[in-house]
Amino acid sequence: MFKAKFNIYVFAILALIFQTLFAQEQTLELKNLDRGQIHFMGFALNSDKTVHIKAVGSGDDKMIKRIYDYHEDKHNLFAYAWIIDADTRKMVWRMTIENTEKSWWNKWNREFDGNVKLKKGKYELYFSAVEPIFFSFNGRFLDFGKLLDKIFGGDNWWEDHSDKWMTRVSGVDEVFTKLDVKKYQKKLKDSAIIDFT
């Protein structure tokens, strides 16, 4: 009996040491967005750390001063990613005009390629794409040249651009699927004192 318990303890300790020594950081990626979609996944960090984010979205290069439509983003992006803290529901990072650069190979696309410091915890990564409002004034979303691109560029405009859009987060300790995130959100909702949904 003593020997069986001893073997179990030795095995558990060795498994813990093996997992610690050979634990590899993981990567999650969102891509293949269609019009009006929001994709999401989750991840966990076992300690405060810096993760690497590579994201390609789309938008213009000027902020919007006034929002006239719920589709508009004040940062003037129509395909972009953001990260929220899963417990506090606060945004901890998002693509903006300020932290992205216009792509040299595509005048619509904007890229973020950098490191972001995050605290230990659980996070949710979101990526959204809505078709931009082309017939707009007041410096919203797109200019006249881009409108002509849309008109004369053919019917595959969305497909030609959206196939490059993606968000990849590297250096996380654990990755959660969309279903895992939904379960976690339901658990939070069920434990809330007030539910506004």
Side-chain angles (χ1 to χ4, degrees), residues 16-191:
L16 183 62
I17 291 170
F18 180 80
Q19 181 180 5
T20 303
L21 290 175
F22 297 102
Q24 293 191 0
E25 294 178 334
Q26 298 183 38
T27 299
L28 64 152
E29 184 173 276
L30 298 175
K31 58 183 181 178
N32 300 323
L33 283 169
D34 204 357
R35 291 173 181 87
Q37 284 191 322
I38 297 177
H39 288 194
F40 60 92
M41 290 179 75
F43 64 93
L45 302 177
N46 297 332
S47 61
D48 295 359
K49 64 169 39 178
T50 300
V51 297
H52 184 80
I53 301 173
K54 167 81 172 165
V56 179
S58 203
D60 207 356
D61 54 2
K62 294 179 184 167
M63 292 277 287
I64 296 177
K65 293 187 180 6
R66 291 188 184 133
I67 303 293
Y68 296 97
D69 187 298
Y70 73 95
H71 285 111
E72 294 176 326
D73 170 48
K74 73 177 185 173
H75 295 284
N76 217 355
L77 302 176
F78 54 87
Y80 62 96
W82 68 96
I83 297 174
I84 66 170
D85 182 304
D87 293 321
T88 66
R89 313 307 293 163
K90 290 184 180 175
M91 188 179 312
V92 296
W93 174 84
R94 73 157 283 168
M95 291 177 73
T96 65
I97 292 172
E98 292 83 17
N99 70 7
T100 60
E101 293 182 3
K102 198 165 239 185
S103 211
W104 65 268
W105 46 270
N106 184 309
K107 63 185 172 186
W108 295 79
N109 289 350
R110 299 197 63 88
E111 296 183 42
F112 177 91
D113 192 356
N115 295 322
V116 176
K117 291 182 181 182
L118 296 174
K119 297 188 178 297
K120 173 183 177 180
K122 292 182 179 179
Y123 295 90
E124 296 170 17
L125 168 66
Y126 290 85
F127 194 41
S128 171
V130 294
E131 190 159 8
I133 301 165
F134 291 96
F135 299 103
S136 63
F137 302 99
N138 303 322
R140 295 167 21 191
F141 274 128
L142 306 171
D143 61 25
F144 188 67
K146 292 177 182 175
L147 173 61
L148 291 175
D149 258 3
K150 166 68 174 153
I151 293 169
F152 298 110
D155 293 335
N156 296 330
W157 176 88
W158 186 271
E159 292 77 16
D160 292 344
H161 292 84
S162 65
D163 66 335
K164 309 276 188 302
W165 301 340
M166 54 75 68
T167 304
R168 181 182 308 119
V169 180
S170 305
V172 304
D173 296 314
E174 191 174 354
V175 174
F176 305 116
T177 66
K178 184 176 183 175
L179 183 59
D180 295 332
V181 172
K182 284 183 175 183
K183 286 179 185 176
Y184 187 75
Q185 289 171 346
K186 182 175 178 355
K187 184 176 145 187
L188 279 177
K189 183 179 173 185
D190 291 346
S191 68

